């Protein structure tokens, strides 16, 4: 992408015609060409006046090219009368330009029967314009089989219109002879074929041929071919060349290429030039570019300008404009207009707008109104909507319906949905299926899924084997890797578990680090375990600080530890208070011990 920041690469290439510095007059070479042409015309005219049929035909063609129809016609008629087929074809062209189509067709027929491929092509076009496709096909085929490039292309166009399988053959013939539109259309047809055969080796071969024909058409100045070639190269990561073709296409007036070039520049960090190309594309009616400009201004806090471009996108027929207007209004807290724009986009089939509308209605307490929009969005392929439907059904206690939507979202790669399916399978006892979904969710970045997966793997982990000398041997297991992944993402229970594993292998520093991180994030178990670690290291005062934090958060064992600490210090009343707290918090074993300690402290205080 660094090349896209190099403006010289894009704006100072040899692809652009540089302004000419010469005066707007004929150069000596041009003057010579004009003189040569005049001399040639005089020579042909003298020969024609002397009765040379070929000279009549050539002179008529010269005058026809110049636009001198009155001067050309008598020479072409004279040559045609003498049997010159080229003159008959050109006479047909002249008459067609004058509006005498039927008379032109008569002369083209004469020339075509005499073997003129150009006349056969013209006659075929004439018949097609009048709806006589059988006659059109006959004459176009005559032209194509004689090697006429335009005839091959026109025949391919006719056959493609009818859905005839032979269209590709003639389109290829025209493309191989240098017809740029044929090359482009052949590439488009092969592109569709490659999409159908994407999984096979043949699909890869077709894609290579697609690029070849796009490249040929683009090299001949076909702007849409240049756009498609740029898209292929961008997908392949060849951004420098993709940018050059986008630029070529955009300079030729292709708005989609200008838009694509804008995105390429934005990704390279050059938002200033990106905005220039988006503006150009948007002014040419590209809704995607108008949306991009709206987003750019919205990021800068220029909401009025952003709204103007979103409206322009909508006016260009891009439904994303209405959706983005809804997002903009929602961010500003303007709920009523947000709902209006979401509805407009949703009714036009925008699935994410339907999902956003449903969320808006749900937050307003209209669950009945929200559910149909969630369903419409989910059926249209919105993964988030499918997940939201799962949440909706789960909130009503409809677990099976919720699971169906979770599974649908999970199958499309929704991380949180995969977590919900995994947890449901765990509850059902289907550990294998649970593990599969938890792995998907954990791989997608869910800390909770990583922790749950680690607990599943931990439960089936065999006991650590003993060393020959009786010393434990610690082998790093997969469950530890998942615990650590979850812990590094801030999962408090995973952090406590990683601390416990570190403590078990004697790594006090590592254990304390993880306990402290969990405790500072609000984990009462982390605070309790950190206190135990500090107490063992002789730092009971600091340990008491963490036990106090854990006990205040409802940790019964921490309260019991504090009761013992204060009892040893002789602060019996404080010890009794914490013993009371521990007895209330539990669990049962802690409550029993705390009650005995409390009674003992009470007797000591009353003695």
């Amino acid at each position: 992408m660094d090349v896209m920041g190099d403006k010289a690469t894009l704006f100072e290439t040899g692809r652009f015609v540089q302004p000419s510095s010469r005066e707007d007059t004929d150069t000596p070479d041009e003057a010579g060409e004009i003189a040569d042409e005049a001399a040639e015309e005089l020579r042909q005219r003298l020969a024609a006046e002397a009765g040379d049929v070929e000279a009549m035909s050539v002179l008529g063609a010269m005058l026809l090219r110049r636009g001198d129809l009155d001067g050309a016609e008598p020479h072409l008629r004279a040559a045609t009368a003498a049997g010159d087929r080229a003159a008959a074809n050109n006479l047909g062209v002249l008459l067609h330009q004058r509006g005498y189509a039927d008379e032109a067709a008569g002369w083209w027929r004469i020339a075509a029967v005499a073997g003129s491929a150009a006349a056969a092509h013209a006659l075929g076009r004439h018949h097609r314009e009048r709806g006589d496709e059988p006659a059109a096909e006959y004459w176009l085929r005559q032209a194509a089989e004689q090697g006429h490039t335009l005839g091959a292309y026109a025949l391919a166009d006719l056959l493609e219109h009818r859905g005839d399988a032979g269209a590709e053959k003639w389109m290829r013939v025209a493309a191989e002879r240098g017809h740029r539109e044929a090359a482009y259309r052949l590439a488009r047809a092969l592109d569709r074929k490659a999409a159908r055969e994407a999984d096979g080796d043949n699909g890869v071969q077709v894609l290579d041929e697609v690029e070849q024909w796009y490249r040929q058409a683009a090299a001949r100045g076909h702007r849409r071919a240049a756009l498609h070639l740029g898209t292929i190269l961008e997908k392949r990561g060849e951004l420098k060349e993709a940018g050059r073709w986008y630029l070529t296409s955009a300079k030729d007036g292709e708005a989609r290429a200008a838009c694509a070039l804008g995105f390429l520049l934005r990704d390279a960090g050059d938002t200033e030039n990106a905005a220039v190309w988006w503006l150009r594309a948007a002014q040419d009616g590209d809704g995607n570019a108008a949306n991009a400009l709206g987003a750019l201004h919205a990021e800068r806090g220029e909401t009025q300008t952003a709204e103007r471009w979103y409206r322009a996108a909508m006016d260009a027929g891009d439904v994303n404009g209405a959706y983005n207007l809804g997002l903009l209004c929602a961010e500003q807290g303007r709920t009523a207009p947000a709902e209006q724009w979401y509805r407009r986009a949703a009714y036009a089939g925008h699935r994410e707008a339907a999902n956003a509308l449903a969320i808006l209605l749900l937050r307003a307490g209209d669950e009945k109104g929200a559910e149909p929009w969630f369903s419409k969005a989910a059926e249209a392929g919105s993964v988030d909507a499918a997940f939201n439907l799962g949440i909706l059904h789960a909130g009503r206690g409809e677990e099976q319906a919720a699971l169906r939507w979770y599974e649908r979202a999970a199958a499309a790669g929704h991380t949180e949905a995969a977590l919900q399916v995994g947890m449901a399978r765990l509850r059902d006892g289907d550990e294998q299926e649970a593990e599969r979904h938890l792995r998907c969710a954990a791989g997608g970045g869910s800390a909770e899924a990583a922790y749950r997966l680690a607990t599943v793997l931990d439960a089936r982990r065999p006991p650590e084997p003993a060393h020959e000398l009786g010393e434990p041997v610690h082998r790093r297991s997969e469950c530890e890797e998942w615990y650590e992944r979850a812990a590094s993402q801030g999962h408090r229970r995973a952090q406590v578990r990683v601390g416990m594993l570190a403590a078990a292998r004697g790594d006090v520093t590592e254990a304390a680090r993880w306990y402290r991180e969990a405790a500072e994030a609000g984990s009462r178990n982390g605070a309790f375990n950190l206190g135990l670690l500090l107490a063992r290291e002789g730092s009971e005062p600091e340990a008491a600080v963490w036990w106090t934090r854990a006990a205040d958060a409802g940790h019964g064992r921490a309260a019991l530890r504090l009761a013992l600490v204060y009892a040893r210090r002789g602060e019996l009343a404080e010890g009794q208070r914490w013993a009371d707290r521990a007895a209330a918090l539990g669990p049962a074993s802690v409550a029993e011990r705390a009650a005995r300690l409390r009674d003992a402290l009470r007797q000591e205080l009353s003695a």
Side-chain angles (χ1 to χ4, degrees):
M1 286 307 297
D2 57 334
V3 298
M4 297 307 297
D6 180 3
K7 296 180 183 177
T9 305
L10 295 177
F11 300 106
E12 298 174 14
T13 66
R15 293 186 182 280
F16 302 102
V17 178
Q18 300 298 322
S20 176
S21 59
R22 68 185 185 187
E23 296 294 326
D24 189 17
T25 57
D26 292 335
T27 63
D29 287 343
E30 289 174 332
E33 289 173 6
I34 294 170
D36 290 344
E37 187 176 338
E40 176 63 17
E41 181 181 334
L42 179 60
R43 188 177 70 79
Q44 295 293 346
R45 190 178 295 278
L46 292 172
E49 289 172 354
D52 188 321
V53 174
E54 183 180 353
M56 296 176 193
S57 178
V58 171
L59 178 60
M62 291 177 69
L63 295 170
L64 178 62
R65 280 196 299 271
R66 188 189 301 164
D68 184 0
L69 304 187
D70 291 336
E73 185 171 354
H75 296 292
L76 290 175
R77 285 190 180 276
T80 299
D84 189 292
R85 71 183 188 188
N89 176 56
N90 286 333
L91 180 57
V93 172
L94 184 148
L95 292 168
H96 188 269
Q97 289 182 15
R98 282 187 160 164
Y100 303 119
D102 292 335
E103 188 180 352
W107 291 111
W108 280 331
R109 184 180 296 275
I110 291 171
V113 169
S116 170
H121 165 247
L123 187 58
R125 295 272 311 259
H126 169 80
H127 283 299
R128 188 176 183 190
E129 287 169 2
R130 276 153 180 73
D132 187 353
E133 290 194 1
E137 181 180 351
Y138 174 81
W139 289 111
L140 291 175
R141 194 175 292 277
Q142 293 294 316
E145 289 175 349
Q146 291 180 66
H148 194 276
T149 301
L150 293 176
Y153 172 71
L155 176 60
D157 183 64
L158 175 63
L159 295 174
E160 187 176 82
H161 173 72
R162 291 206 314 239
D164 193 307
E168 184 180 324
K169 169 193 169 184
W170 290 109
M171 197 70 79
R172 188 181 295 276
V173 168
E176 287 171 348
R177 292 174 183 166
H179 195 288
R180 73 177 189 182
E181 185 65 25
Y184 171 71
R185 289 179 61 177
L186 177 61
R188 295 294 292 152
L190 292 172
D191 212 348
R192 291 189 290 271
K193 181 180 178 181
R196 294 192 298 269
E197 303 174 356
D199 296 332
D201 292 338
N202 189 45
V204 176
Q205 294 173 358
V206 173
L207 281 174
D208 291 340
E209 193 178 4
V210 167
E211 182 180 342
Q212 168 199 334
W213 290 115
Y214 276 141
R215 194 175 289 277
Q216 178 171 311
R220 291 178 179 273
H222 197 292
R223 69 187 192 187
R224 281 174 294 166
L227 166 66
H228 287 289
L229 178 57
T231 302
I232 289 172
L233 293 166
E234 183 181 2
K235 287 179 180 176
R236 204 160 64 211
E238 299 177 20
L239 304 180
K240 182 176 181 179
E241 189 178 1
R244 287 200 298 269
W245 286 113
Y246 283 149
L247 185 59
T248 298
S249 180
K251 293 290 283 184
D252 285 341
E254 182 60 51
R256 290 175 297 169
C259 180
L261 180 58
F263 281 111
L264 214 56
L265 289 163
R266 182 206 61 184
D267 292 343
D270 188 358
T271 54
E272 183 180 347
N273 278 309
V276 170
W277 287 106
W278 282 334
L279 179 61
R280 181 167 179 167
Q283 289 173 338
D284 287 339
D286 190 283
N288 195 23
N291 273 313
L293 281 172
L296 185 64
H297 288 288
E299 287 173 7
R300 295 171 177 171
E302 301 165 355
T303 55
Q304 288 186 337
T305 307
E307 184 171 339
R308 179 167 62 84
W309 282 114
Y310 287 148
R311 287 179 182 274
M314 191 173 58
D315 292 341
D318 192 327
V319 71
N320 283 311
Y323 174 59
N324 287 330
L325 277 168
L327 290 174
L328 192 66
C329 292
E331 288 171 2
Q332 295 171 338
R334 297 158 57 200
T335 306
E339 181 181 338
Q340 170 196 339
W341 292 117
Y342 284 149
R343 280 189 187 277
R344 181 163 180 172
Y347 278 123
H350 196 293
R351 65 190 188 190
E352 297 309 324
N355 181 56
L357 174 60
I359 292 172
L360 204 66
L361 294 170
L362 191 62
R363 286 175 178 166
D366 186 4
E367 183 177 314
K368 186 177 179 181
E371 186 172 355
W373 286 112
F374 276 138
S375 297
K376 186 173 182 179
E379 293 298 342
S382 171
V383 181
D384 287 336
F387 177 66
N388 289 334
L389 274 172
I391 294 174
L392 203 64
H393 286 290
R396 298 173 186 161
E398 300 165 358
E399 298 299 333
Q400 289 304 312
L403 184 57
R404 283 196 300 273
W405 285 111
Y406 284 146
E407 286 177 330
R408 184 164 176 172
H414 196 287
T415 298
E416 290 304 313
L419 169 62
Q420 294 300 323
V421 175
M423 291 172 65
R425 295 304 179 208
L426 275 179
R427 289 193 296 271
D428 295 341
D430 188 350
E431 191 174 293
Q432 184 175 359
E433 193 66 11
E435 181 183 339
R436 183 174 73 84
H437 281 95
L438 290 174
R439 284 187 183 278
C440 290
S446 170
E448 181 66 24
Y451 173 73
R452 298 273 180 172
L453 175 60
T455 60
V456 170
L457 298 173
D458 204 359
R460 70 166 76 128
R461 185 172 57 161
E464 291 286 351
H467 191 267
E468 291 180 358
L469 299 177
E471 298 175 357
V473 177
H474 179 78
R475 291 187 178 88
R476 183 178 174 79
S477 62
E478 187 186 2
C479 76
E480 290 183 64
E481 294 175 4
W482 287 113
Y483 277 135
E484 287 182 7
R485 180 180 294 195
S488 65
Q489 291 175 261
H491 195 285
R492 293 181 299 178
R493 283 177 294 170
Q495 290 169 340
V496 173
R497 185 60 182 151
V498 171
M500 291 171 66
L501 292 169
R505 64 175 179 263
D507 191 344
V508 176
T509 303
E510 184 72 0
R513 181 174 75 84
W514 285 113
Y515 287 151
R516 189 179 298 277
E517 196 164 327
E520 289 175 346
S523 169
R524 61 189 186 183
N525 284 329
F528 176 71
N529 287 356
L530 180 57
L532 288 179
L533 206 63
L534 291 167
R536 287 172 192 157
E537 295 296 310
S539 302
E540 189 174 85
E542 189 180 353
V545 172
W546 290 106
W547 282 334
T548 301
R549 182 180 291 193
D552 286 341
H555 198 287
R557 292 176 65 195
L560 180 57
R561 287 278 177 173
L562 284 169
L564 291 168
V565 167
Y566 285 111
R568 283 197 300 270
R569 290 179 184 174
E571 299 178 29
L572 303 184
E574 190 67 9
Q576 184 181 347
R577 186 175 73 82
W578 283 113
D580 277 334
R581 184 74 189 278
L585 292 172
S589 59
V590 170
E592 183 181 346
R593 290 176 60 196
R596 289 201 301 269
L597 177 60
R598 178 191 60 199
D599 293 343
L601 290 173
R602 185 176 295 149
Q603 289 175 6
E604 187 72 22
L605 284 168
S606 62

